[in-house]
């Protein structure tokens, strides 16, 4: 099995209007030649316009969440099929801001993963421990438990990735040490092999949480780190490009 193709994905979260499309265009214009696949996940309102703007470029557009059902009376929600129709190729699922702020459980995340696969979207499935869980020595158990609970067997044979995002590192400027990142990524890889057999060696395991141009090279070259899921530093093309080029 060859090493996973790295993926660098930007999660714009609830940021961006039409005026921000220039940042995505600047990334597309300048990111060429790197080893990584590159994606930007803007808010749902921008998916269609960003997909049109980036058509023909190497930068893929992704979504940040989906509803598991295909259609129906779910006011305010967006289905995986709708995201694909708007031009999304990937979707972030189980982000800690959804798990904490919207009560998303592993079981719900797993149903959303199945919905994404049904719509032909590539899921990026997020896991990560809180600071209290890390301090209690539970980080490995919590995260590998989230992996087991959030990844349905339907992923076999499909394209997907896992993103390890320690909750306490998101938007804080704090990052785990390189050896803490490696320890977690190795444990996630072992869990993926346990769940999917030899195929579990294929998906990239991204790191997310305060990745910026100045720390990207060290993080991206750590063992079993197959890319990054980038929040704040993905909003500005120059910062995001600095991370892409660090690989
Ligand atoms: P920051 O890069 O802003 O810490 O956010 C990480 C994140 O949550 C990406 O999904």
């Amino acid at each position: 099995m060859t090493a996973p193709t790295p993926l660098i994905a930007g999660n714009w979260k609830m940021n961006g209007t039409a005026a921000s499309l220039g940042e995505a265009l600047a990334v597309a214009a300048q990111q060429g030649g790197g080893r990584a696949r590159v994606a930007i996940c803007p808010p749902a309102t921008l998916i269609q316009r960003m997909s049109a703007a980036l058509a023909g470029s190497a930068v893929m557009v992704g979504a940040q969440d989906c509803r598991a059902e295909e259609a129906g009376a779910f006011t305010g929600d967006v289905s995986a099929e709708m995201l694909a129709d708007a031009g999304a190729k990937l979707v972030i699922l189980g982000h800690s801001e959804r798990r904490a702020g919207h009560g998303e459980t592993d079981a719900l995340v797993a149903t959303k993963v199945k919905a994404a696969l049904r719509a032909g979207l590539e899921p990026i499935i997020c896991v990560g421990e809180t600071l209290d869980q890390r301090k209690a020595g539970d980080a490995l158990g919590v995260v590998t438990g989230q992996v087991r609970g959030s990844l349905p067997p339907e992923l076999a044979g499909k394209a997907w990735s896992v993103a390890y995002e320690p909750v306490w590192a998101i938007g804080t400027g704090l990052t785990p040490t390189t050896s803490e990142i490696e320890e977690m990524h190795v444990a996630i890889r072992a869990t993926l092999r346990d769940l999917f057999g030899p195929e579990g060696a294929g998906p990239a395991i991204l790191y997310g949480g305060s990745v910026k141009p100045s720390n990207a090279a060290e993080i991206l070259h750590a063992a079993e780190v197959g890319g990054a899921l980038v929040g704040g530093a993905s909003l500005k093309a120059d910062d995001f490009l600095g991370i892409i080029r660090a690989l």
Side-chain angles (χ1 to χ4, degrees):
M1 180 82 60
T2 51
T5 305
L7 172 63
I8 310 273
N11 174 8
W12 281 14
K13 308 192 180 185
M14 199 175 74
N15 296 289
T17 60
S20 321
L21 290 171
E23 298 296 329
L25 283 166
V27 172
Q30 295 173 65
Q31 69 90 38
R35 281 203 304 127
R37 301 160 70 223
V38 176
I40 299 175
C41 304
T45 47
L46 282 181
I47 289 173
Q48 188 144 24
R49 277 175 287 181
M50 190 179 288
S51 299
L54 298 184
S57 85
V59 178
M60 302 176 289
V61 176
Q64 301 174 13
D65 178 45
C66 71
R67 175 98 195 182
E69 290 82 356
E70 189 173 342
F74 303 108
T75 302
D77 286 349
V78 180
S79 74
E81 282 76 7
M82 291 166 177
L83 298 171
D85 181 55
K89 302 288 182 230
L90 308 94
V91 59
I92 299 167
L93 294 172
H95 192 283
S96 63
E97 287 153 15
R98 306 270 337 158
R99 290 177 183 266
H102 297 261
E104 294 198 3
T105 60
D106 292 341
L108 179 65
V109 174
T111 66
K112 292 185 175 199
V113 171
K114 287 189 247 183
L117 297 174
R118 184 184 69 213
L121 297 177
E122 177 180 332
I124 302 172
I125 305 141
C126 300
V127 293
E129 83 286 357
T130 64
L131 190 55
D132 284 348
Q133 289 165 334
R134 178 160 284 273
K135 282 185 178 156
D138 294 339
L140 286 170
V142 165
V143 169
T144 55
Q146 288 174 333
V147 170
R148 288 182 188 281
S150 308
L151 273 58
E154 285 82 351
L155 285 166
K158 300 285 180 16
W160 50 278
S161 57
V162 172
Y164 168 55
E165 300 204 304
V167 176
W168 51 274
I170 294 175
T172 59
L174 303 172
T175 52
T177 64
T178 302
S179 65
E180 285 171 337
I181 293 174
E182 290 184 340
E183 179 187 40
M184 187 62 79
H185 281 233
V186 166
I188 293 171
R189 179 65 70 202
T191 308
L192 298 185
R193 285 181 188 276
D194 194 33
L195 290 172
F196 297 98
E199 201 186 302
I205 305 172
L206 317 184
Y207 169 79
S210 297
V211 179
K212 47 192 183 224
S214 59
N215 64 16
E218 180 167 354
I219 291 172
L220 289 169
H221 292 102
E224 288 292 5
V225 174
L229 185 54
V230 184
S234 71
L235 295 172
K236 290 274 165 260
D238 285 349
D239 289 344
F240 196 44
L241 286 162
I243 294 167
I244 294 166
R245 290 186 184 125
L247 197 67

